[in-house]
C-alpha cells in the first residue's frame, strides 16, 4: 500500500519563494521515515504479537486443539505464532529520503499474514493510529528542515 501527500502553500509571495527554494531539490524525509520504520517494526513485533491480534480489534483465531497439545509439549509457554521467535525478530524497515519499506524476512510470515494454508493472523497493517504516528514523524522532520532554513 502506498500513501502520498501534498503540501499546498498560499499567501505571502516572499514566503512562497523561500519555500520553493527549500523544496526545489525535493524535500528529504530520511529522519521521519527512519523514525516511522523503527516505530512500526517495534509495534508489529511487540504489541501485535504480545496481544495476539487485538491491536487491530480482534484476537487471532486460536490454534487447533491437537496443535495446542503438541505445542505445549514441544514449546512450553510459547504463544500463537511463536516457537523460537524468528518471525518476531524478522521485521525490518528500510528507508531513504522518500520511501519506507517494512517487511518480514521469515519464510513463514507470508502464510500467516495472508492466510495461505493456515488461519489468517494479520501482523502488519497501517491503521488510523499508526498512520497518525507516521504523519507526526514526517511533520516533525519537515518542521526541522524548515527551521534550519529559517522559515519557521
Amino acid at each position: 500500500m502506498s500513501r502520498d501527500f501534498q503540501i499546498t502553500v498560499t499567501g505571502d509571495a516572499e514566503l512562497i519563494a523561500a519555500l520553493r527554494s527549500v523544496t526545489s531539490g525535493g524535500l528529504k524525509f530520511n529522519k521521519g521515515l527512519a523514525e516511522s520504520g523503527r516505530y512500526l517494526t517495534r509495534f508489529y513485533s511487540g504489541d501485535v504479537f504480545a496481544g495476539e491480534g487485538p491491536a487491530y480489534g480482534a484476537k487471532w483465531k486460536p490454534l487447533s486443539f491437537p496443535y495446542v497439545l503438541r505445542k505445549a509439549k514441544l514449546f512450553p509457554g510459547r504463544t500463537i505464532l511463536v516457537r523460537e521467535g524468528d518471525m518476531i525478530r524478522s521485521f525490518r524497515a528500510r528507508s531513504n529520503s522518500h520511501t519506507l519499506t517494512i517487511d518480514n524476512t521469515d519464510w513463514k510470515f507470508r502464510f500467516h499474514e495472508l492466510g495461505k494454508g493456515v488461519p489468517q493472523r494479520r501482523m502488519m497493517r497501517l491503521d488510523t493510529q499508526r498512520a497518525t504516528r507516521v504523519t507526526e514523524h514526517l511533520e516533525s522532520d519537515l518542521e526541522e528542515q524548515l527551521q534550519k532554513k529559517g522559515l519557521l
Side-chain angles (χ1 to χ4, degrees):
M1 169 178 36
S2 178
R3 298 212 180 186
D4 296 323
F5 66 95
Q6 179 178 333
I7 300 170
T8 304
V9 180
T10 59
D12 185 83
E14 190 176 319
L15 175 60
I16 292 171
L19 282 171
R20 280 200 180 109
S21 74
V22 170
T23 62
S24 64
L27 289 172
K28 309 233 183 303
F29 289 96
N30 299 61
K31 185 176 179 182
L33 291 171
E35 287 175 359
S36 296
R38 283 188 294 276
Y39 164 72
L40 290 170
T41 55
R42 279 193 305 263
F43 175 74
Y44 296 146
S45 63
D47 293 0
V48 174
F49 269 86
E52 299 179 353
Y56 299 132
K59 282 189 76 68
W60 290 332
K61 184 177 179 181
L63 300 172
S64 67
F65 186 69
Y67 189 69
V68 166
L69 295 176
R70 181 172 166 238
K71 189 169 184 176
K73 182 178 179 181
L74 297 174
F75 308 102
R78 302 296 173 112
T79 60
I80 294 177
L81 296 187
V82 178
R83 281 191 193 179
E84 289 136 15
D86 293 341
M87 205 177 314
I88 290 174
R89 289 188 303 274
S90 296
F91 286 98
R92 76 178 169 183
R94 294 167 292 156
S95 62
N96 59 36
S97 60
H98 295 99
T99 306
L100 170 61
T101 302
I102 298 174
D103 62 6
N104 188 299
T105 59
D106 188 303
W107 68 273
K108 301 177 294 295
F109 174 79
R110 69 176 183 261
F111 298 106
H112 293 284
E113 181 73 10
L114 301 173
K116 301 231 178 215
V118 295
Q120 184 177 33
R121 294 182 175 102
R122 296 287 307 266
M123 292 162 265
M124 288 178 52
R125 193 172 125 201
L126 190 62
D127 60 356
T128 304
Q129 189 173 351
R130 262 39 67 194
T132 298
R133 289 290 297 272
V134 169
T135 301
E136 289 168 357
H137 291 140
L138 295 174
E139 286 173 347
S140 176
D141 194 351
L142 176 61
E143 184 177 332
E144 188 176 304
Q145 290 180 61
L146 294 176
Q147 283 176 345
K148 284 181 182 176
K149 296 288 185 177
L151 296 170
L152 286 182

Coordinates of all heavy atoms in Angstrom, one line a residue, residues 9 11 17 28 42 50 58 60-61 64 66 69-70 78 80 83 96 98-99 101 106 110 122 128 131 133 135 149:
V9 N 0.8 25.7 -0.3 CA 1.0 26.9 0.4 C 0.5 28.1 -0.4 O 0.7 28.2 -1.5 CB 2.5 27.2 0.7 CG1 2.7 28.4 1.5 CG2 3.1 26.0 1.5
G11 N -0.5 32.5 0.0 CA -0.3 33.7 0.8 C 0.9 34.5 0.4 O 1.1 34.8 -0.8
A17 N 8.2 31.9 -2.2 CA 9.5 31.9 -2.9 C 10.6 31.2 -2.0 O 11.3 30.3 -2.5 CB 10.0 33.3 -3.3
K28 N 13.5 16.0 1.7 CA 14.0 14.7 2.0 C 13.5 14.3 3.4 O 13.7 15.1 4.4 CB 15.5 14.8 2.0 CG 16.1 15.4 0.7 CD 17.1 14.5 0.1 CE 17.7 15.0 -1.2 NZ 16.8 15.4 -2.3
R42 N 8.7 -2.0 15.8 CA 8.6 -2.3 17.2 C 7.1 -2.6 17.5 O 6.8 -3.5 18.3 CB 9.0 -1.1 18.1 CG 10.5 -1.0 18.3 CD 10.9 0.0 19.4 NE 10.4 1.3 19.2 CZ 11.1 2.3 18.7 NH1 12.3 2.1 18.3 NH2 10.5 3.5 18.5
A50 N 2.3 -9.7 21.3 CA 2.0 -9.8 22.7 C 0.5 -10.0 22.9 O 0.1 -10.8 23.8 CB 2.5 -8.6 23.5
A58 N -9.4 -7.5 17.0 CA -9.8 -8.8 17.3 C -8.7 -9.8 17.5 O -7.6 -9.7 16.8 CB -10.7 -9.3 16.1
W60 N -6.4 -13.1 17.3 CA -6.2 -14.1 16.3 C -7.0 -15.4 16.5 O -7.3 -15.7 17.7 CB -4.7 -14.5 16.2 CG -3.8 -13.4 15.7 CD1 -4.1 -12.4 14.8 CD2 -2.4 -13.3 16.0 NE1 -3.0 -11.7 14.6 CE2 -1.9 -12.2 15.3 CE3 -1.5 -14.0 16.8 CZ2 -0.6 -11.8 15.4 CZ3 -0.2 -13.6 16.9 CH2 0.2 -12.5 16.2
K61 N -7.3 -16.1 15.5 CA -8.0 -17.3 15.7 C -7.2 -18.3 16.5 O -5.9 -18.4 16.3 CB -8.3 -18.0 14.3 CG -9.1 -19.2 14.4 CD -9.4 -19.8 13.0 CE -10.2 -21.1 13.1 NZ -10.5 -21.6 11.8
S64 N -5.6 -25.0 16.7 CA -6.4 -26.2 16.8 C -6.0 -26.9 18.1 O -4.9 -26.8 18.5 CB -6.2 -27.0 15.6 OG -4.9 -27.6 15.6
P66 N -5.5 -30.1 18.7 CA -4.3 -31.0 18.6 C -3.0 -30.3 18.6 O -2.0 -30.7 19.2 CB -4.6 -31.8 17.3 CG -6.0 -31.7 17.1 CD -6.4 -30.4 17.7
L69 N -1.9 -29.0 22.1 CA -1.3 -30.1 22.9 C 0.1 -30.3 22.4 O 1.0 -30.4 23.3 CB -2.1 -31.4 22.8 CG -3.5 -31.3 23.4 CD1 -4.2 -32.6 23.1 CD2 -3.5 -31.0 24.8
R70 N 0.4 -30.4 21.1 CA 1.7 -30.6 20.6 C 2.6 -29.5 20.9 O 3.8 -29.7 21.4 CB 1.6 -30.8 19.1 CG 2.9 -31.1 18.4 CD 2.7 -31.4 17.0 NE 4.0 -31.4 16.3 CZ 4.3 -30.6 15.3 NH1 3.3 -29.9 14.7 NH2 5.5 -30.6 14.7
R78 N 5.0 -20.9 25.0 CA 5.0 -20.0 23.8 C 3.6 -19.7 23.3 O 2.7 -20.5 23.4 CB 5.8 -20.7 22.6 CG 7.2 -21.0 23.0 CD 8.0 -19.7 23.2 NE 9.4 -20.0 23.7 CZ 10.5 -19.8 23.0 NH1 10.4 -19.2 21.9 NH2 11.6 -20.1 23.6
I80 N 0.7 -18.1 20.3 CA 0.4 -18.3 18.9 C 1.5 -17.6 18.1 O 2.0 -16.5 18.3 CB -0.9 -17.7 18.6 CG1 -2.1 -18.4 19.3 CG2 -1.2 -17.7 17.1 CD1 -3.4 -17.8 19.1
R83 N 7.5 -19.9 18.2 CA 8.2 -21.1 18.5 C 9.5 -20.7 19.1 O 9.8 -20.8 20.3 CB 8.4 -22.0 17.4 CG 7.2 -22.8 16.9 CD 7.7 -23.9 15.9 NE 6.5 -24.4 15.3 CZ 6.6 -25.4 14.4 NH1 7.8 -25.8 14.0 NH2 5.6 -25.9 13.8
N96 N 14.7 5.6 2.7 CA 15.6 6.6 2.1 C 14.9 7.9 2.2 O 14.0 8.0 3.1 CB 16.0 6.2 0.7 CG 14.8 6.1 -0.2 OD1 13.8 6.8 -0.1 ND2 14.9 5.1 -1.1
H98 N 12.6 9.3 0.5 CA 11.2 9.3 0.0 C 10.4 8.0 0.2 O 9.2 8.0 -0.1 CB 11.1 9.7 -1.5 CG 11.7 11.1 -1.7 ND1 13.0 11.3 -2.1 CD2 11.1 12.3 -1.5 CE1 13.2 12.6 -2.3 NE2 12.1 13.2 -1.9
T99 N 11.0 7.0 0.6 CA 10.4 5.7 0.7 C 10.7 5.0 2.0 O 11.8 5.0 2.5 CB 10.8 4.8 -0.5 OG1 10.6 5.5 -1.7 CG2 10.1 3.5 -0.6
T101 N 10.0 1.0 3.4 CA 9.6 -0.3 3.2 C 9.8 -1.1 4.4 O 10.8 -1.2 5.0 CB 10.4 -1.0 2.0 OG1 10.3 -0.1 0.9 CG2 9.9 -2.4 1.7
D106 N 11.1 -13.7 7.6 CA 10.9 -15.1 7.9 C 10.0 -15.7 6.8 O 8.9 -15.2 6.5 CB 10.2 -15.2 9.3 CG 10.1 -16.6 9.8 OD1 9.5 -17.5 9.1 OD2 10.6 -16.9 10.9
R110 N 4.5 -14.9 5.3 CA 3.5 -14.6 4.3 C 2.3 -15.5 4.4 O 1.2 -15.2 4.1 CB 4.1 -14.7 2.9 CG 4.6 -16.0 2.5 CD 5.1 -16.0 1.0 NE 5.4 -17.4 0.6 CZ 6.6 -17.8 0.6 NH1 7.6 -17.1 0.9 NH2 6.9 -19.1 0.2
R122 N -3.2 -11.5 11.0 CA -2.6 -10.2 10.5 C -1.6 -9.7 11.5 O -2.0 -9.5 12.6 CB -3.7 -9.2 10.2 CG -4.6 -9.5 9.1 CD -4.1 -9.5 7.7 NE -3.4 -8.2 7.3 CZ -4.0 -7.2 6.7 NH1 -5.3 -7.3 6.4 NH2 -3.3 -6.1 6.4
T128 N -5.4 3.6 11.4 CA -5.5 5.1 11.7 C -4.5 5.5 12.7 O -3.8 6.5 12.5 CB -6.9 5.5 12.0 OG1 -7.8 5.1 11.0 CG2 -7.0 7.0 12.2
A131 N -1.0 5.3 11.2 CA -0.9 6.4 10.2 C -0.7 7.7 10.8 O 0.1 8.6 10.3 CB -2.1 6.4 9.2
R133 N 0.7 8.4 13.7 CA 2.1 8.5 14.2 C 3.1 8.7 13.1 O 4.1 9.5 13.3 CB 2.5 7.2 15.0 CG 1.8 7.0 16.3 CD 2.3 8.0 17.4 NE 3.7 7.9 17.8 CZ 4.1 7.1 18.7 NH1 3.3 6.4 19.4 NH2 5.4 7.1 19.0
T135 N 2.5 10.2 10.3 CA 2.3 11.6 9.9 C 3.0 12.5 10.8 O 3.7 13.5 10.4 CB 0.8 11.9 9.8 OG1 0.2 11.1 8.9 CG2 0.6 13.4 9.4
K149 N 16.2 26.2 7.6 CA 16.3 27.2 6.5 C 15.8 28.6 7.0 O 15.7 29.5 6.2 CB 15.4 26.7 5.3 CG 15.9 25.5 4.7 CD 17.2 25.7 3.9 CE 17.6 24.4 3.2 NZ 18.8 24.7 2.3

